[in-house]
Amino acid sequence: KDKEIFLDTIFNSSLHAEVIVDMETGLISNCNLQSGILFAAGNASLLNMPACKLFLEVAQGENEELYREMCNPAKNWEGELTCLCLDGGEFPGNISIVTFQYHDKNYKKLTIIDITEKNYILNELQTAKIKAEESVAVKSQFLSNMSHELRTPLNGIIGATNLLLQDTYLPSQQEQLNILKFSSEHTLSLVNDILVFENSGNLNVI
């Protein structure tokens, strides 16, 4: 009696739905308290109910291959299915099905986990990933434009300055031309460093 109470306590203290199916009839022969909560029904309402009615993908008998795979006594099964509550609601569930024998009869133990929150988090992560990829693409396009828009005129200034320095000019213009040459080359060097640093992902200014 103590052992029976102990096992019953373990069965009903599970945070997931645990459903026992008699494989001769395909009916639910036992279920824990969490099953009634998860499927919006009292435990008694689930007893003697066809287990296939719990899952949208097999409830209508339209996926016979999946149903045969789940019922195969030689194999266990795990996957995600849409679970049908007795009040008409639905939720995504992770289902694991394990075969066992008791008094020479085949049973299946179904462990059902509501993964609504998990799927929500995964969807949020996917959305964040898409936004991040879009941001990277915009950033890459911005850097490409900046590279062209900044470097092109600076190269033009440097080229024109060098031509002026090679041409005839007044002695008083020497200092101004040297300043122009140094400043334009230094600015181009800074722009190159910034764009290279930004491309490496070490600077987040965009």
Side-chain angles (χ1 to χ4, degrees):
K1 183 65 177 179
D2 288 342
K3 184 177 180 181
E4 183 180 339
I5 293 173
F6 177 67
L7 294 175
D8 186 65
T9 300
I10 294 174
F11 187 54
N12 283 302
S13 62
S14 174
L15 297 176
H16 311 307
E18 306 286 354
V19 176
I20 308 300
V21 181
D22 184 339
M23 294 311 296
E24 287 185 5
T25 62
L27 302 178
I28 297 172
S29 62
N30 200 355
C31 59
N32 67 350
L33 296 176
Q34 186 62 23
S35 300
I37 296 172
L38 200 57
F39 286 92
N43 289 50
S45 300
L46 293 172
L47 295 179
N48 296 317
M49 172 182 170
C52 63
K53 298 295 183 183
L54 297 179
F55 310 112
L56 177 65
E57 288 80 356
V58 295
Q60 307 300 326
E62 297 176 356
N63 198 329
E64 294 183 3
E65 183 178 351
L66 173 62
Y67 184 66
R68 285 197 300 271
E69 188 176 354
M70 294 171 68
C71 293
N72 189 338
K75 292 183 178 180
N76 298 327
W77 186 89
E78 184 172 6
E80 294 184 3
L81 298 172
T82 302
C83 300
L84 300 174
C85 299
L86 271 64
D87 64 355
E90 298 178 0
F91 66 89
N94 180 271
I95 319 299
S96 62
I97 302 176
V98 179
T99 301
F100 71 95
Q101 285 191 332
Y102 183 70
H103 289 174
D104 297 325
K105 287 184 64 176
N106 286 325
Y107 293 89
K108 292 276 190 179
K109 181 173 78 71
L110 283 61
T111 300
I112 304 162
I113 304 172
D114 185 348
I115 56 173
T116 301
E117 184 175 355
K118 171 192 169 185
N119 286 354
Y120 173 78
I121 293 172
L122 289 176
N123 288 336
E124 288 294 300
L125 289 173
Q126 181 64 22
T127 300
K129 179 176 179 290
I130 292 172
K131 288 182 178 179
E133 290 173 346
E134 290 175 348
S135 177
V136 169
V138 171
K139 177 179 173 180
S140 177
Q141 184 61 44
F142 173 81
L143 290 174
S144 177
N145 292 339
M146 288 297 291
S147 174
H148 174 75
E149 296 298 329
L150 291 177
R151 287 170 170 155
T152 299
L154 283 171
N155 282 324
I157 295 170
I158 293 170
T161 303
N162 287 330
L163 289 175
L164 288 173
L165 285 169
Q166 293 172 16
D167 204 351
T168 303
Y169 54 85
L170 297 175
S172 60
Q173 294 176 318
Q174 176 73 53
E175 184 178 358
Q176 286 80 4
L177 290 172
N178 287 337
I179 291 173
L180 181 60
K181 176 178 171 60
F182 171 79
S183 297
S184 57
E185 289 178 345
H186 181 64
T187 302
L188 180 60
S189 177
L190 289 176
V191 168
N192 287 336
D193 288 344
I194 290 172
L195 292 175
V196 169
F197 194 51
E198 178 64 25
N199 266 323
S200 70
N202 296 319
L203 184 62
N204 293 312
V205 296
I206 300 174

